[in-house]
Amino acid sequence: ELKVEQNPLFLSMQEGKNYTIYCNYSTTSDRLYWYRQDPGKSLESLFVLLSNGAVKQEGRLMASLDTKARLSTLHITAAVHDLSATYFCAVDKDRGSTLGRLYFGRGTQLTVWP
Amino acid sequence: KAGVTQTPRYLIKTRGQQVTLSCSPISGHRSVSWYQQTPGQGLQFLFEYFSETQRNKGNFPGRFSGRQFSNSRSEMNVSTLELGDSALYLCASSLQGEGYGYTFGSGTRLTVV
C-alpha cells in the first residue's frame, strides 16, 4: 500500500532558526500537498506541488518536490511563534492514476519557542 | 466565496446510537471525500463521492456509509456507534477529486460516551 512518511514527527525550534521537514512517499507521483493544522482545527492548504522540481514559497515557508527521489521538503526560514502547528504532507496519485483520495503522513508537530 | 460547510460542529452520542454528518462543498465542486482523524491512527480515508457515485472507499466497517446528493452535498452515517468512533470527521471538497487541491471543512467533533 502507498506509504507517506514524514520526519521528524516532533520539532521544537527556537525563533529565528531555520529547519526542514521531510516527506517521503512510496508511489510514483508528481503531485504533493502540504497542509497545516492548528490544535482542534481543520486542515489549511499551504501548497500544491504539481510537477518535478516544483518550488513554492509563502512567507517563511518554502516547499519543493523531487519526484525522482520521491521526496518533498518544507523549509522554515527564521521561525516565528505563529508557525507553531502540525504540518501534513499528502499524495493523491500513483503511477499516473488518480486515487481520488489523499494519503497523509503522520504529521510533524512544530513548536517554536522564544 | 463560501467555503466547505460541515454540520454539526460538535456531537455527543451514546454507544449504540447512530449519527449523520453533513458536508456542503464549495459551489461548483463535484467531489467530496471524508476522513476520520484520531490521535492514534492519524488521518484515515473513509470514502469519496463524485457526481453522486462512490468512487473510492477506505478500510472501514460497513457501519460507516455515505451518500451524495445531486447538489453535491454529502452525508455520512455511522450506525451502532462504538467508543472508538470518537474522532474529528473532516470532509474535503475538490473540483474533480484530483490535482486541483482539496479544501477541508471545519470538521465535526464526535464524542461517543
Short mmCIF file of all heavy atoms in Angstrom, two decimals, chain B residues 35-96:
data_model
loop_
_atom_site.label_atom_id
_atom_site.label_comp_id
_atom_site.label_asym_id
_atom_site.label_seq_id
_atom_site.Cartn_x
_atom_site.Cartn_y
_atom_site.Cartn_z
N TYR B 35 -12.79 11.99 5.85
CA TYR B 35 -11.66 11.47 6.59
C TYR B 35 -11.98 11.44 8.08
O TYR B 35 -12.69 12.31 8.58
CB TYR B 35 -10.41 12.33 6.37
CG TYR B 35 -9.94 12.33 4.94
CD1 TYR B 35 -10.51 13.17 3.99
CD2 TYR B 35 -8.93 11.46 4.52
CE1 TYR B 35 -10.11 13.15 2.68
CE2 TYR B 35 -8.52 11.43 3.20
CZ TYR B 35 -9.12 12.28 2.28
OH TYR B 35 -8.71 12.25 0.97
N GLN B 36 -11.41 10.46 8.74
CA GLN B 36 -11.50 10.37 10.19
C GLN B 36 -10.12 10.66 10.77
O GLN B 36 -9.11 10.12 10.29
CB GLN B 36 -11.93 8.95 10.61
CG GLN B 36 -12.06 8.77 12.12
CD GLN B 36 -12.09 7.31 12.53
OE1 GLN B 36 -11.11 6.59 12.37
NE2 GLN B 36 -13.23 6.87 13.06
N GLN B 37 -10.08 11.53 11.76
CA GLN B 37 -8.80 11.85 12.38
C GLN B 37 -8.84 11.51 13.86
O GLN B 37 -9.70 12.02 14.60
CB GLN B 37 -8.44 13.32 12.19
CG GLN B 37 -7.04 13.65 12.71
CD GLN B 37 -6.65 15.09 12.49
OE1 GLN B 37 -7.50 15.98 12.43
NE2 GLN B 37 -5.36 15.33 12.33
N THR B 38 -7.93 10.67 14.29
CA THR B 38 -7.76 10.34 15.70
C THR B 38 -6.30 10.45 16.06
O THR B 38 -5.42 10.32 15.18
CB THR B 38 -8.23 8.90 16.00
OG1 THR B 38 -7.46 7.99 15.19
CG2 THR B 38 -9.70 8.71 15.70
N PRO B 39 -5.99 10.69 17.34
CA PRO B 39 -4.58 10.79 17.74
C PRO B 39 -3.79 9.51 17.44
O PRO B 39 -2.64 9.57 17.06
CB PRO B 39 -4.66 11.05 19.24
CG PRO B 39 -6.01 11.66 19.45
CD PRO B 39 -6.90 11.00 18.45
N GLY B 40 -4.43 8.38 17.57
CA GLY B 40 -3.70 7.12 17.38
C GLY B 40 -3.50 6.71 15.94
O GLY B 40 -2.45 6.21 15.57
N GLN B 41 -4.51 6.94 15.11
CA GLN B 41 -4.46 6.48 13.72
C GLN B 41 -4.20 7.58 12.71
O GLN B 41 -3.99 7.30 11.53
CB GLN B 41 -5.78 5.78 13.36
CG GLN B 41 -6.08 4.56 14.20
CD GLN B 41 -5.04 3.48 14.03
OE1 GLN B 41 -4.58 3.21 12.91
NE2 GLN B 41 -4.62 2.88 15.12
N GLY B 42 -4.20 8.80 13.15
CA GLY B 42 -3.96 9.89 12.22
C GLY B 42 -5.16 10.13 11.31
O GLY B 42 -6.30 9.89 11.71
N LEU B 43 -4.89 10.57 10.10
CA LEU B 43 -5.95 10.87 9.13
C LEU B 43 -6.19 9.64 8.25
O LEU B 43 -5.31 9.20 7.52
CB LEU B 43 -5.53 12.05 8.25
CG LEU B 43 -5.66 13.41 8.91
CD1 LEU B 43 -4.67 14.40 8.33
CD2 LEU B 43 -7.10 13.93 8.72
N GLN B 44 -7.40 9.13 8.33
CA GLN B 44 -7.74 7.94 7.56
C GLN B 44 -8.90 8.23 6.62
O GLN B 44 -9.90 8.85 7.02
CB GLN B 44 -8.12 6.79 8.50
CG GLN B 44 -6.96 6.27 9.32
CD GLN B 44 -7.36 5.06 10.12
OE1 GLN B 44 -8.08 5.15 11.11
NE2 GLN B 44 -6.92 3.89 9.66
N PHE B 45 -8.77 7.76 5.40
CA PHE B 45 -9.77 7.98 4.36
C PHE B 45 -10.98 7.08 4.56
O PHE B 45 -10.84 5.87 4.81
CB PHE B 45 -9.12 7.70 3.01
CG PHE B 45 -10.06 7.69 1.85
CD1 PHE B 45 -10.55 8.87 1.32
CD2 PHE B 45 -10.45 6.49 1.27
CE1 PHE B 45 -11.40 8.86 0.23
CE2 PHE B 45 -11.30 6.46 0.18
CZ PHE B 45 -11.77 7.65 -0.34
N LEU B 46 -12.16 7.68 4.48
CA LEU B 46 -13.40 6.91 4.60
C LEU B 46 -13.98 6.56 3.23
O LEU B 46 -14.13 5.41 2.87
CB LEU B 46 -14.42 7.69 5.42
CG LEU B 46 -14.19 7.69 6.92
CD1 LEU B 46 -14.80 8.93 7.57
CD2 LEU B 46 -14.77 6.44 7.55
N PHE B 47 -14.36 7.60 2.48
CA PHE B 47 -14.86 7.39 1.11
C PHE B 47 -14.88 8.70 0.35
O PHE B 47 -14.74 9.77 0.93
CB PHE B 47 -16.28 6.77 1.08
CG PHE B 47 -17.11 7.00 2.31
CD1 PHE B 47 -17.55 8.26 2.65
CD2 PHE B 47 -17.45 5.93 3.13
CE1 PHE B 47 -18.32 8.47 3.78
CE2 PHE B 47 -18.22 6.13 4.26
CZ PHE B 47 -18.66 7.40 4.58
N GLU B 48 -15.03 8.56 -0.96
CA GLU B 48 -15.09 9.72 -1.85
C GLU B 48 -16.26 9.57 -2.80
O GLU B 48 -16.52 8.47 -3.31
CB GLU B 48 -13.78 9.86 -2.64
CG GLU B 48 -13.67 11.17 -3.44
CD GLU B 48 -13.89 10.99 -4.94
OE1 GLU B 48 -14.14 9.86 -5.39
OE2 GLU B 48 -13.79 12.01 -5.66
N TYR B 49 -16.95 10.69 -3.01
CA TYR B 49 -18.08 10.71 -3.91
C TYR B 49 -17.86 11.76 -5.00
O TYR B 49 -17.31 12.84 -4.73
CB TYR B 49 -19.38 11.04 -3.17
CG TYR B 49 -19.85 9.92 -2.30
CD1 TYR B 49 -19.40 9.79 -1.00
CD2 TYR B 49 -20.73 8.95 -2.80
CE1 TYR B 49 -19.81 8.74 -0.21
CE2 TYR B 49 -21.15 7.90 -2.01
CZ TYR B 49 -20.68 7.79 -0.72
OH TYR B 49 -21.08 6.75 0.07
N PHE B 50 -18.28 11.40 -6.19
CA PHE B 50 -18.20 12.31 -7.32
C PHE B 50 -19.48 12.15 -8.13
O PHE B 50 -19.80 11.03 -8.55
CB PHE B 50 -16.98 12.00 -8.18
CG PHE B 50 -16.80 12.91 -9.36
CD1 PHE B 50 -16.20 14.14 -9.20
CD2 PHE B 50 -17.26 12.54 -10.61
CE1 PHE B 50 -16.03 14.98 -10.28
CE2 PHE B 50 -17.10 13.37 -11.70
CZ PHE B 50 -16.48 14.60 -11.53
N SER B 51 -20.20 13.24 -8.30
CA SER B 51 -21.47 13.21 -9.05
C SER B 51 -22.36 12.07 -8.57
O SER B 51 -22.85 11.25 -9.36
CB SER B 51 -21.20 13.06 -10.56
OG SER B 51 -20.57 14.21 -11.05
N GLU B 52 -22.54 12.00 -7.30
CA GLU B 52 -23.46 11.08 -6.62
C GLU B 52 -23.00 9.62 -6.61
O GLU B 52 -23.73 8.74 -6.15
CB GLU B 52 -24.86 11.17 -7.22
CG GLU B 52 -25.46 12.56 -7.16
CD GLU B 52 -26.84 12.63 -7.79
OE1 GLU B 52 -27.77 12.02 -7.22
OE2 GLU B 52 -26.98 13.28 -8.85
N THR B 53 -21.79 9.35 -7.10
CA THR B 53 -21.28 7.98 -7.15
C THR B 53 -20.09 7.82 -6.22
O THR B 53 -19.19 8.67 -6.22
CB THR B 53 -20.84 7.62 -8.59
OG1 THR B 53 -21.97 7.72 -9.45
CG2 THR B 53 -20.27 6.21 -8.65
N GLN B 54 -20.09 6.75 -5.46
CA GLN B 54 -18.93 6.48 -4.62
C GLN B 54 -17.84 5.89 -5.50
O GLN B 54 -17.99 4.81 -6.07
CB GLN B 54 -19.30 5.49 -3.50
CG GLN B 54 -18.16 5.27 -2.51
CD GLN B 54 -18.50 4.24 -1.44
OE1 GLN B 54 -18.30 3.04 -1.63
NE2 GLN B 54 -19.01 4.71 -0.33
N ARG B 55 -16.72 6.58 -5.56
CA ARG B 55 -15.62 6.14 -6.43
C ARG B 55 -14.55 5.38 -5.68
O ARG B 55 -13.78 4.63 -6.27
CB ARG B 55 -14.98 7.31 -7.15
CG ARG B 55 -15.90 8.07 -8.07
CD ARG B 55 -15.13 8.96 -9.02
NE ARG B 55 -14.35 9.97 -8.31
CZ ARG B 55 -13.66 10.93 -8.93
NH1 ARG B 55 -13.64 10.99 -10.24
NH2 ARG B 55 -12.99 11.83 -8.22
N ASN B 56 -14.47 5.63 -4.40
CA ASN B 56 -13.37 5.07 -3.64
C ASN B 56 -13.83 4.89 -2.20
O ASN B 56 -14.59 5.72 -1.67
CB ASN B 56 -12.17 6.01 -3.71
CG ASN B 56 -10.86 5.29 -3.59
OD1 ASN B 56 -10.78 4.19 -3.05
ND2 ASN B 56 -9.80 5.90 -4.11
N LYS B 57 -13.36 3.83 -1.57
CA LYS B 57 -13.77 3.55 -0.20
C LYS B 57 -12.57 3.09 0.59
O LYS B 57 -11.75 2.29 0.09
CB LYS B 57 -14.85 2.46 -0.20
CG LYS B 57 -15.49 2.22 1.16
CD LYS B 57 -16.59 1.18 1.04
CE LYS B 57 -17.43 1.08 2.30
NZ LYS B 57 -16.66 0.79 3.51
N GLY B 58 -12.44 3.57 1.79
CA GLY B 58 -11.37 3.17 2.67
C GLY B 58 -11.70 1.89 3.41
O GLY B 58 -12.74 1.27 3.20
N ASN B 59 -10.82 1.53 4.30
CA ASN B 59 -10.94 0.27 5.02
C ASN B 59 -11.67 0.46 6.34
O ASN B 59 -11.08 0.36 7.41
CB ASN B 59 -9.54 -0.33 5.24
CG ASN B 59 -9.61 -1.73 5.76
OD1 ASN B 59 -10.59 -2.43 5.55
ND2 ASN B 59 -8.57 -2.14 6.46
N PHE B 60 -12.93 0.75 6.26
CA PHE B 60 -13.77 0.93 7.44
C PHE B 60 -14.92 -0.08 7.38
O PHE B 60 -15.34 -0.49 6.31
CB PHE B 60 -14.33 2.35 7.50
CG PHE B 60 -13.39 3.34 8.10
CD1 PHE B 60 -12.36 3.89 7.34
CD2 PHE B 60 -13.50 3.73 9.42
CE1 PHE B 60 -11.47 4.80 7.88
CE2 PHE B 60 -12.62 4.64 9.98
CZ PHE B 60 -11.61 5.18 9.22
N PRO B 61 -15.45 -0.45 8.56
CA PRO B 61 -16.55 -1.42 8.57
C PRO B 61 -17.81 -0.83 7.92
O PRO B 61 -17.93 0.38 7.73
CB PRO B 61 -16.77 -1.70 10.06
CG PRO B 61 -16.13 -0.58 10.78
CD PRO B 61 -15.01 -0.09 9.92
N GLY B 62 -18.74 -1.72 7.61
CA GLY B 62 -19.96 -1.33 6.93
C GLY B 62 -20.85 -0.39 7.73
O GLY B 62 -21.79 0.19 7.19
N ARG B 63 -20.52 -0.22 9.03
CA ARG B 63 -21.30 0.74 9.83
C ARG B 63 -21.14 2.16 9.33
O ARG B 63 -21.95 3.03 9.62
CB ARG B 63 -20.83 0.69 11.30
CG ARG B 63 -20.97 -0.66 11.97
CD ARG B 63 -20.60 -0.57 13.45
NE ARG B 63 -19.22 -0.21 13.68
CZ ARG B 63 -18.81 0.97 14.14
NH1 ARG B 63 -19.69 1.92 14.41
NH2 ARG B 63 -17.52 1.20 14.34
N PHE B 64 -20.07 2.37 8.60
CA PHE B 64 -19.80 3.70 8.03
C PHE B 64 -20.32 3.73 6.59
O PHE B 64 -19.93 2.90 5.75
CB PHE B 64 -18.30 3.99 8.03
CG PHE B 64 -17.73 4.17 9.41
CD1 PHE B 64 -17.39 3.07 10.19
CD2 PHE B 64 -17.51 5.45 9.91
CE1 PHE B 64 -16.86 3.24 11.45
CE2 PHE B 64 -16.97 5.62 11.18
CZ PHE B 64 -16.65 4.53 11.95
N SER B 65 -21.19 4.64 6.32
CA SER B 65 -21.74 4.74 4.97
C SER B 65 -21.90 6.21 4.61
O SER B 65 -21.83 7.10 5.47
CB SER B 65 -23.09 4.04 4.87
OG SER B 65 -24.04 4.65 5.73
N GLY B 66 -22.09 6.44 3.34
CA GLY B 66 -22.25 7.83 2.91
C GLY B 66 -23.10 7.91 1.67
O GLY B 66 -23.50 6.89 1.09
N ARG B 67 -23.38 9.14 1.28
CA ARG B 67 -24.07 9.36 0.02
C ARG B 67 -23.84 10.80 -0.41
O ARG B 67 -23.43 11.65 0.39
CB ARG B 67 -25.55 9.07 0.15
CG ARG B 67 -26.29 9.91 1.19
CD ARG B 67 -27.76 9.55 1.19
NE ARG B 67 -28.49 10.22 2.25
CZ ARG B 67 -29.83 10.24 2.33
NH1 ARG B 67 -30.55 9.62 1.41
NH2 ARG B 67 -30.44 10.86 3.32
N GLN B 68 -24.13 11.04 -1.66
CA GLN B 68 -24.01 12.40 -2.18
C GLN B 68 -25.27 12.71 -2.96
O GLN B 68 -25.79 11.89 -3.71
CB GLN B 68 -22.77 12.53 -3.08
CG GLN B 68 -22.52 13.96 -3.54
CD GLN B 68 -21.29 14.08 -4.43
OE1 GLN B 68 -21.00 13.18 -5.21
NE2 GLN B 68 -20.58 15.18 -4.31
N PHE B 69 -25.72 13.92 -2.81
CA PHE B 69 -26.96 14.36 -3.46
C PHE B 69 -26.65 15.09 -4.78
O PHE B 69 -25.49 15.42 -5.05
CB PHE B 69 -27.74 15.25 -2.51
CG PHE B 69 -28.09 14.58 -1.21
CD1 PHE B 69 -27.29 14.74 -0.08
CD2 PHE B 69 -29.21 13.77 -1.11
CE1 PHE B 69 -27.60 14.11 1.11
CE2 PHE B 69 -29.53 13.13 0.09
CZ PHE B 69 -28.71 13.30 1.19
N SER B 70 -27.69 15.36 -5.52
CA SER B 70 -27.50 15.99 -6.83
C SER B 70 -26.89 17.38 -6.74
O SER B 70 -26.29 17.87 -7.70
CB SER B 70 -28.83 16.04 -7.58
OG SER B 70 -29.78 16.77 -6.84
N ASN B 71 -27.02 18.03 -5.60
CA ASN B 71 -26.41 19.36 -5.43
C ASN B 71 -24.99 19.25 -4.86
O ASN B 71 -24.42 20.25 -4.45
CB ASN B 71 -27.27 20.24 -4.53
CG ASN B 71 -27.41 19.68 -3.12
OD1 ASN B 71 -26.90 18.59 -2.82
ND2 ASN B 71 -28.10 20.39 -2.25
N SER B 72 -24.44 18.05 -4.84
CA SER B 72 -23.09 17.71 -4.37
C SER B 72 -22.94 17.67 -2.86
O SER B 72 -21.88 17.26 -2.38
CB SER B 72 -22.02 18.67 -4.96
OG SER B 72 -21.93 18.48 -6.35
N ARG B 73 -23.94 18.07 -2.13
CA ARG B 73 -23.86 17.92 -0.68
C ARG B 73 -23.76 16.44 -0.34
O ARG B 73 -24.31 15.59 -1.03
CB ARG B 73 -25.10 18.52 -0.02
CG ARG B 73 -25.02 18.59 1.50
CD ARG B 73 -26.26 19.25 2.10
NE ARG B 73 -27.43 18.41 2.01
CZ ARG B 73 -27.76 17.48 2.91
NH1 ARG B 73 -26.98 17.26 3.97
NH2 ARG B 73 -28.87 16.77 2.76
N SER B 74 -23.02 16.17 0.72
CA SER B 74 -22.79 14.77 1.08
C SER B 74 -23.12 14.56 2.55
O SER B 74 -23.02 15.49 3.37
CB SER B 74 -21.33 14.40 0.81
OG SER B 74 -21.06 13.07 1.21
N GLU B 75 -23.53 13.39 2.85
CA GLU B 75 -23.74 12.98 4.23
C GLU B 75 -22.98 11.68 4.49
O GLU B 75 -22.83 10.86 3.59
CB GLU B 75 -25.23 12.72 4.50
CG GLU B 75 -26.10 13.94 4.53
CD GLU B 75 -27.56 13.62 4.82
OE1 GLU B 75 -27.95 12.44 4.77
OE2 GLU B 75 -28.30 14.58 5.11
N MET B 76 -22.53 11.55 5.73
CA MET B 76 -22.01 10.25 6.14
C MET B 76 -22.78 9.81 7.38
O MET B 76 -23.19 10.63 8.20
CB MET B 76 -20.52 10.26 6.39
CG MET B 76 -20.03 11.06 7.56
SD MET B 76 -18.34 10.59 8.02
CE MET B 76 -18.63 9.08 8.94
N ASN B 77 -22.97 8.53 7.47
CA ASN B 77 -23.74 7.95 8.55
C ASN B 77 -22.90 6.89 9.26
O ASN B 77 -22.21 6.11 8.60
CB ASN B 77 -25.03 7.34 8.00
CG ASN B 77 -25.92 6.79 9.09
OD1 ASN B 77 -25.73 5.66 9.55
ND2 ASN B 77 -26.88 7.58 9.53
N VAL B 78 -22.96 6.91 10.57
CA VAL B 78 -22.32 5.84 11.34
C VAL B 78 -23.39 5.20 12.20
O VAL B 78 -24.05 5.90 12.99
CB VAL B 78 -21.18 6.36 12.23
CG1 VAL B 78 -20.43 5.20 12.85
CG2 VAL B 78 -20.23 7.26 11.44
N SER B 79 -23.59 3.93 12.04
CA SER B 79 -24.60 3.22 12.83
C SER B 79 -23.92 2.47 13.96
O SER B 79 -22.70 2.23 13.93
CB SER B 79 -25.38 2.26 11.94
OG SER B 79 -24.52 1.28 11.41
N THR B 80 -24.70 2.13 14.95
CA THR B 80 -24.22 1.35 16.10
C THR B 80 -22.87 1.89 16.58
O THR B 80 -21.83 1.22 16.54
CB THR B 80 -24.10 -0.14 15.74
OG1 THR B 80 -25.19 -0.55 14.93
CG2 THR B 80 -24.08 -0.99 17.00
N LEU B 81 -22.90 3.10 17.05
CA LEU B 81 -21.67 3.78 17.45
C LEU B 81 -20.90 3.03 18.53
O LEU B 81 -21.49 2.43 19.45
CB LEU B 81 -22.00 5.18 17.96
CG LEU B 81 -22.31 6.22 16.88
CD1 LEU B 81 -22.96 7.45 17.49
CD2 LEU B 81 -21.05 6.59 16.10
N GLU B 82 -19.57 3.08 18.38
CA GLU B 82 -18.66 2.49 19.36
C GLU B 82 -17.79 3.60 19.92
O GLU B 82 -17.62 4.66 19.30
CB GLU B 82 -17.79 1.42 18.69
CG GLU B 82 -18.58 0.29 18.07
CD GLU B 82 -17.70 -0.71 17.36
OE1 GLU B 82 -16.46 -0.51 17.32
OE2 GLU B 82 -18.24 -1.71 16.83
N LEU B 83 -17.21 3.35 21.11
CA LEU B 83 -16.37 4.36 21.73
C LEU B 83 -15.24 4.78 20.80
O LEU B 83 -14.85 5.95 20.74
CB LEU B 83 -15.79 3.84 23.05
CG LEU B 83 -16.79 3.56 24.16
CD1 LEU B 83 -16.07 3.03 25.40
CD2 LEU B 83 -17.58 4.81 24.53
N GLY B 84 -14.71 3.81 20.05
CA GLY B 84 -13.60 4.07 19.14
C GLY B 84 -13.95 4.95 17.95
O GLY B 84 -13.06 5.35 17.21
N ASP B 85 -15.23 5.24 17.78
CA ASP B 85 -15.64 6.13 16.68
C ASP B 85 -15.47 7.59 17.05
O ASP B 85 -15.65 8.47 16.19
CB ASP B 85 -17.10 5.86 16.30
CG ASP B 85 -17.33 4.45 15.78
OD1 ASP B 85 -16.38 3.86 15.24
OD2 ASP B 85 -18.46 3.95 15.94
N SER B 86 -15.13 7.84 18.30
CA SER B 86 -14.88 9.23 18.72
C SER B 86 -13.70 9.77 17.93
O SER B 86 -12.61 9.20 17.94
CB SER B 86 -14.58 9.29 20.21
OG SER B 86 -15.69 8.89 20.97
N ALA B 87 -13.92 10.87 17.25
CA ALA B 87 -12.90 11.39 16.34
C ALA B 87 -13.34 12.74 15.79
O ALA B 87 -14.48 13.17 15.99
CB ALA B 87 -12.66 10.43 15.18
N LEU B 88 -12.41 13.35 15.08
CA LEU B 88 -12.74 14.53 14.27
C LEU B 88 -13.00 14.03 12.85
O LEU B 88 -12.14 13.36 12.26
CB LEU B 88 -11.58 15.53 14.27
CG LEU B 88 -11.77 16.80 13.44
CD1 LEU B 88 -12.90 17.66 14.00
CD2 LEU B 88 -10.47 17.60 13.38
N TYR B 89 -14.16 14.31 12.32
CA TYR B 89 -14.51 13.88 10.96
C TYR B 89 -14.43 15.09 10.04
O TYR B 89 -15.09 16.10 10.25
CB TYR B 89 -15.90 13.25 10.94
CG TYR B 89 -15.91 11.91 11.63
CD1 TYR B 89 -16.14 11.81 13.00
CD2 TYR B 89 -15.66 10.74 10.92
CE1 TYR B 89 -16.11 10.59 13.64
CE2 TYR B 89 -15.63 9.51 11.56
CZ TYR B 89 -15.86 9.45 12.91
OH TYR B 89 -15.82 8.23 13.55
N LEU B 90 -13.60 14.95 9.04
CA LEU B 90 -13.35 16.04 8.11
C LEU B 90 -13.84 15.67 6.72
O LEU B 90 -13.67 14.54 6.27
CB LEU B 90 -11.85 16.33 8.03
CG LEU B 90 -11.18 16.86 9.30
CD1 LEU B 90 -9.67 16.74 9.20
CD2 LEU B 90 -11.58 18.30 9.54
N CYS B 91 -14.46 16.62 6.07
CA CYS B 91 -14.76 16.40 4.67
C CYS B 91 -13.93 17.36 3.83
O CYS B 91 -13.56 18.45 4.29
CB CYS B 91 -16.25 16.53 4.36
SG CYS B 91 -16.87 18.21 4.21
N ALA B 92 -13.62 16.94 2.62
CA ALA B 92 -12.82 17.74 1.70
C ALA B 92 -13.58 17.91 0.40
O ALA B 92 -14.18 16.97 -0.12
CB ALA B 92 -11.48 17.08 1.45
N SER B 93 -13.53 19.11 -0.12
CA SER B 93 -14.21 19.44 -1.36
C SER B 93 -13.17 19.65 -2.45
O SER B 93 -12.13 20.28 -2.22
CB SER B 93 -15.02 20.73 -1.12
OG SER B 93 -15.43 21.34 -2.32
N SER B 94 -13.44 19.11 -3.62
CA SER B 94 -12.49 19.25 -4.72
C SER B 94 -13.26 19.40 -6.02
O SER B 94 -14.35 18.85 -6.17
CB SER B 94 -11.58 18.02 -4.77
OG SER B 94 -10.79 18.01 -5.92
N LEU B 95 -12.67 20.10 -6.96
CA LEU B 95 -13.34 20.33 -8.23
C LEU B 95 -13.71 19.01 -8.90
O LEU B 95 -14.86 18.77 -9.28
CB LEU B 95 -12.43 21.14 -9.14
CG LEU B 95 -13.06 21.77 -10.38
CD1 LEU B 95 -14.13 22.77 -9.96
CD2 LEU B 95 -12.00 22.48 -11.22
N GLN B 96 -12.72 18.13 -9.03
CA GLN B 96 -12.98 16.84 -9.68
C GLN B 96 -12.40 15.68 -8.89
O GLN B 96 -12.42 14.56 -9.34
CB GLN B 96 -12.39 16.83 -11.09
CG GLN B 96 -12.97 17.85 -12.03
CD GLN B 96 -12.41 17.69 -13.43
OE1 GLN B 96 -12.99 17.00 -14.26
NE2 GLN B 96 -11.28 18.31 -13.68
#
